[in-house]
Amino acid sequence: MYKKLLANLVKPVLIAGLFVSQSLYAQTPIVQVEKGVLEQGGFVVLKVAPGFDVSYKHHMLKPDGEGRVLIGFSRNDRAKQTITLLENNGKKFKKTLKITKRSYTVQRINGLPKNKVSPDKATLKLIYHDIAEAKKARKINLPNPYFDSGFDWPTKGIISGIYGSQRILNGKPRAPHLGVDIAAPQGTPLHAPADGKITLNESMVLSGNTVMIDHGYGLRSTVMHLHKVFVKQGELVKKGQVIGEVGQTGRATGPHVHWGMSWFNVRLDPSLLLKRNLKPGDRVSPSAMVLSEKEPLEKEVALKANAK
């Protein structure tokens, strides 16, 4: 009888994909999923009860004035992810998030310059420098919730590459594609997908002219292969603002923009914010263009995937 009573007092409950423990001291969930997707490549905004901090993937997260923290999931994260809640008195509570696993396609891209697929030592040195600069920018944790502006497609074009696909470049297996590619004519206006602050503006070997927009709480967008850049480091930008032009700089087989997102160094899928089941050939466009389009999308825009 006493065992049955105890079992009723302490048992796991699933609420919106979040496993919480009920006990005599916690009749309601300590954490709630406010927004986002519990899925590989997605992120969620969690609302935490007052008096708790959150630890996840080696990041100590302090909730904002509304009790919110933001966490992201990688391409290959396991179905159950554990977060730790730390009370002011030192007590710890572990909670399990149940996320959806995904399947990914294989993408073959040929015709790339040899030094961009198998670079020489001098080029590798430059690439390592680029990687270090990007990692430094991804460590920033701005306290401003710019992401509250919502997100929109950064340009008008044709989807030529999707998140998570395994890349085979010139017949050689490479790292998965961790973003969305949008093919469009060179010079097509490129818009900020959400409010944020420019925390990186560099010309890089593989990604060409690259801009990183920090949306706060560890969340950021990176747009690559730009033809022209109209913003400066440290500048605040608004959702829909024209920040540059689509181009073909870096490792690219045609004009396009690679839109990647990350939570610190965890790479996310931008399409989860806007369109489910995205596939190559889909046409996308910002819902509110700041600049009017001069010409319709050209027929010559290749449907084949462009390299990151």
Side-chain angles (χ1 to χ4, degrees), residues 156 187-189 191 242 288-295:
K156 179 180 181 181
T188 301
H191 306 254
V242 176
M289 306 292 284
V290 175
L291 289 183
S292 60
E293 296 295 330
K294 295 180 179 179
E295 295 181 3

Side-chain angles (χ1 to χ4, degrees), residues 162-173:
I162 58 176
Y163 174 90
S165 56
Q166 177 64 53
R167 283 289 175 89
I168 310 296
L169 306 181
N170 290 357
K172 297 181 179 181

Side-chain angles (χ1 to χ4, degrees), residues 169-187:
L169 306 181
N170 290 357
K172 297 181 179 181
R174 289 294 186 266
H177 185 241
L178 297 176
V180 174
D181 285 343
I182 307 171
Q186 182 165 296

